[in-house]
Amino acid sequence: MLKRQMLGILAVTTGVIGIGITGWSLETQSKTQNTQSQILVQDTQQPERSPDVIYVPTPQPVVDEMLELAKVNKNDVIYDLGSGDGRLPITAASKYGARGFGIDINPERIREANENAQEAGVTDRVKFLQQDLFTTDISDASVVTLYLLPDLNVKLRPKLFQQLKPGTRIVSHDFDMGDWKPDRTVTTAEGSTIYYWVIPENIPANLPEAKATSSAK
Ligand SMILES: C[S@@+](CC[C@H](N)C(=O)[O-])C[C@H]1O[C@@H](n2cnc3c(N)ncnc32)[C@H](O)[C@@H]1O
């Protein structure tokens, strides 16, 4: 099955299942989601609305490479949009002294992330908010991290250009941003791809967002 079709299946099933297996990629999950070897966990508490993508954690070595690629440092404010168990902002705070926010629509993930922040001793620098990533204000971010789906990244693009300052770095695990070409692409030892962009002074002319901005002037 084509990758895009598999990802589509994944997106439409997100209201029903969460999968509690670490180290799987979204793609692996979608390939096997109807097999018996899969562990399905029904969320005990309903989120406000169905998540747009199920929870699959980024493996810790990939988290480390994402933060390294973005050159995260103690002056940064990192936003992980769809933050799961909080590992990206928690690692950014504990390893680099950054401040961070994790945004997740699922209250179960927020609870888990708060516990993990407590354990890591970073609750003074990291906050988790149960919000929809499409409506949350990210204007004070200097780094944004993503592990969503290709279509969600593209849907998010106008918001990134509207709210983020030029120079803000964005890193995405495994999925690109359609016609917005990355500044760098790295393949990790685990076989994951990390995409890296920097918000430019001007929106690239090939994107519909650029046309929308110029016609609004
Ligand atoms: C693939 S997981 C990534 C988790 C984490 N960023 C990581 O890399 O380990 C995607 C997360 O996005 C959350 N999510 C899905 N749709 C969302 C939305 N509209 N707003 C906020 N969070 C959402 C899910 O609950 C899930 O925890």
Side-chain angles (χ1 to χ4, degrees), residues 30-181:
S30 61
K31 274 179 190 154
T32 57
Q33 65 185 4
N34 292 320
T35 68
Q36 292 200 329
S37 61
Q38 191 184 24
I39 299 169
L40 302 181
V41 180
Q42 186 90 36
D43 273 338
T44 48
Q45 194 174 343
Q46 280 298 308
E48 274 170 24
R49 72 166 176 82
S50 299
D52 295 300
V53 54
I54 57 170
Y55 172 56
V56 180
T58 294
Q60 190 60 42
V62 181
V63 168
D64 294 337
E65 283 208 47
M66 289 170 77
L67 299 177
E68 249 172 63
L69 185 59
K71 294 194 168 46
V72 169
N73 62 71
K74 66 177 175 32
N75 299 319
D76 278 318
V77 179
I78 172 175
Y79 274 71
D80 188 27
L81 302 182
S83 49
D85 70 357
R87 58 185 61 200
L88 275 142
I90 289 172
T91 305
S94 57
K95 202 166 164 187
Y96 300 104
R99 287 186 298 124
F101 293 88
I103 310 298
D104 207 291
I105 206 161
N106 188 332
E108 188 60 32
R109 297 284 91 78
I110 296 293
R111 230 188 328 277
E112 223 171 79
N114 278 326
E115 281 170 19
N116 292 340
Q118 192 104 39
E119 253 174 54
V122 294
T123 51
D124 58 332
R125 272 167 293 151
V126 175
K127 298 280 171 267
F128 292 98
L129 308 174
Q130 187 198 334
Q131 291 179 358
D132 182 344
L133 64 90
F134 287 104
T135 57
T136 198
D137 180 0
I138 56 169
S139 52
D140 64 336
S142 58
V143 175
V144 172
T145 53
L146 304 170
Y147 185 26
L148 298 171
L149 285 170
D151 293 352
L152 296 179
N153 280 2
V154 170
K155 188 176 166 194
L156 194 60
R157 226 171 51 192
K159 177 187 173 83
L160 301 175
F161 286 122
Q162 269 162 22
Q163 294 194 347
L164 299 175
K165 296 173 284 295
T168 304
R169 294 98 78 201
I170 300 166
V171 274
S172 172
H173 176 191
D174 264 352
F175 302 119
D176 67 15
M177 293 262 185
D179 290 337
W180 186 21
K181 296 302 163 214

Side-chain angles (χ1 to χ4, degrees), residues 1 3 22 50-51 93 148 157 159 192 206:
M1 204 189 298
K3 185 176 179 185
T22 55
S50 299
L148 298 171
R157 226 171 51 192
K159 177 187 173 83
S192 295
N206 65 314

